[in-house]
Amino acid sequence: MPESLYEVAFREAITLVVGARPVSVPSAVQGRATVSSDAPDEAAANGGEIDTEALIRTFAEESGVDVAELVEVFYFESDGSAHLNVSGRKLGESTAAKAKAVATAIAAAYHFADDEPTVSVEVIRAECVRLKCFDKKNFFTHMGAAPGTVLSGSGSSRVLRIKSNEIKAALQGVVTVARGTKE
């Protein structure tokens, strides 16, 4: 697909997905902070939905990664939840590498698109399960080693905190691997 059509294709894909099936909020996402301080007003104005295009644009502006590259790798649900738009096998060779990539990517998405410095590991776990890279036995070990983040808290209140001086480079690394490019 020509690069000039990525944004249009993304918009159409979101329209098809949102229009084709109701969007439910996974229980893991319900526990995270609100999408942004403006989200309730924005959601009310949009019939309960967040402007996903605005999230992607903000994500690109804040992270320094091109919108077209982000659209290849990420998407946001109408409730503001971030997901990876690639299969798990594109994220690394091992389950550990894949889980770390998911953790870095999702934490970065919430950080740059929504200014959230922490993300519940339950959100990361849900995405790892969806992408078939969840290793129950070693999950927290992988989370503790995810580039650009620090695991903190205990039990069900564990969160990934952003290392602000490392997250941009870590995100670019994940985007490069997920897109299969060498830059």
Side-chain angles (χ1 to χ4, degrees):
M1 173 184 307
E3 191 171 325
S4 62
L5 296 177
Y6 287 167
E7 190 171 347
V8 173
F10 178 72
R11 254 188 256 124
E12 291 301 314
I14 292 296
T15 301
L16 288 172
V17 170
V18 172
R21 63 181 166 91
V23 177
S24 62
V25 181
S27 59
V29 175
Q30 290 174 346
R32 74 176 182 84
T34 59
V35 176
S36 73
S37 58
D38 299 331
D41 296 334
E42 182 182 332
N46 293 328
E49 295 184 0
I50 303 296
D51 182 358
T52 58
E53 290 179 34
L55 286 173
I56 286 285
R57 282 192 306 274
T58 301
F59 190 2
E61 290 167 10
E62 295 292 323
S63 68
V65 179
D66 186 61
V67 170
E69 291 179 14
L70 291 177
V71 168
E72 280 185 59
V73 180
F74 294 91
Y75 70 95
F76 288 89
E77 295 277 354
S78 61
D79 66 354
S81 60
H83 298 283
L84 288 167
N85 204 23
V86 295
S87 66
R89 68 178 173 270
K90 290 184 110 180
L91 297 172
E93 295 293 320
S94 67
T95 302
K98 293 172 190 175
K100 290 176 199 175
V102 168
T104 298
I106 297 299
Y110 286 116
H111 174 66
F112 290 121
D114 195 26
D115 202 25
E116 288 188 33
T118 63
V119 177
S120 167
V121 293
E122 295 305 316
V123 172
I124 308 297
R125 180 191 317 264
E127 192 69 1
C128 285
V129 168
R130 189 182 73 79
L131 294 172
K132 299 175 179 61
C133 61
F134 177 65
D135 177 359
K136 184 177 181 177
K137 182 177 178 185
N138 297 306
F139 179 70
F140 289 112
T141 301
H142 301 327
M143 294 304 96
T149 65
V150 174
L151 180 65
S152 57
S154 63
S156 63
S157 65
R158 287 187 182 176
V159 295
L160 281 181
R161 294 190 185 282
I162 297 298
K163 290 182 182 175
S164 58
N165 59 338
E166 297 177 19
I167 194 63
K168 282 187 180 184
L171 171 63
Q172 186 60 60
V174 171
V175 168
T176 299
V177 168
R179 293 180 64 233
T181 58
K182 299 195 186 307
E183 297 179 29

